[in-house]
Amino acid sequence: MTRRDRLEIIHDILSIIRKHGNSILPTPLLRYSNLSTQNFNRYMSELIEKGLVREVQDENGRRYYTLTDKGFKFLEKYQKIREFIEEFGL
């Protein structure tokens, strides 16, 4: 089993959010992302800081993560990069 690199982890986190209707609670996202709590928190801080993910609260004070336009754009570009790499067998 190979370890995921940083970009793969970011892609996985963003994809999970998108697959859940662009709105997911922190605990399921942590579980699906298969990261330690410490690593998860570090990645989420960075993704929020870089404007790929937004943290929103509902009227009951529950926190959700959603993708920003920039987050959707990252997923789009990442897919193009993957296709490019596969096309050249790298």
Side-chain angles (χ1 to χ4, degrees), residues 12 14-15 20 28 41 49 57 72-73 81-83 90:
D12 289 350
L14 298 179
S15 292
H20 285 82
N41 289 333
E49 185 184 307
Q57 281 194 343
F72 281 109
K73 195 168 283 176
I81 292 167
R82 297 287 314 186
E83 288 165 8
L90 301 171

Side-chain angles (χ1 to χ4, degrees), residues 25 27-30 38 42 47 53 56 62 64 66 79:
L25 291 161
T27 306
L29 181 55
L30 168 61
Q38 186 179 2
R42 208 175 357 209
L47 293 176
V53 173
V56 293
R62 279 186 302 216
Y64 290 86
T66 64
Q79 189 56 42

Side-chain angles (χ1 to χ4, degrees), residues 15-58:
S15 292
I16 292 162
I17 296 170
R18 183 177 61 187
K19 280 181 197 143
H20 285 82
N22 195 29
S23 181
I24 190 169
L25 291 161
T27 306
L29 181 55
L30 168 61
R31 205 168 44 243
Y32 291 127
S33 67
N34 202 22
L35 294 167
S36 69
T37 303
Q38 186 179 2
N39 279 336
F40 175 78
N41 289 333
R42 208 175 357 209
Y43 274 101
M44 291 314 296
S45 293
E46 182 182 1
L47 293 176
I48 290 166
E49 185 184 307
K50 292 209 159 87
L52 298 168
V53 173
R54 185 181 308 116
E55 189 179 86
V56 293
Q57 281 194 343
D58 68 10

Side-chain angles (χ1 to χ4, degrees), residues 1-5 8:
M1 188 172 114
T2 60
R3 289 185 51 187
R4 294 181 292 172
D5 70 24
E8 282 176 304

Side-chain angles (χ1 to χ4, degrees), residues 58-80:
D58 68 10
E59 60 281 353
N60 299 321
R62 279 186 302 216
R63 291 182 310 138
Y64 290 86
Y65 291 118
T66 64
L67 296 182
T68 62
D69 288 344
K70 195 174 174 184
F72 281 109
K73 195 168 283 176
F74 176 95
L75 287 174
E76 206 178 283
K77 301 263 188 207
Y78 185 90
Q79 189 56 42
K80 285 190 172 104

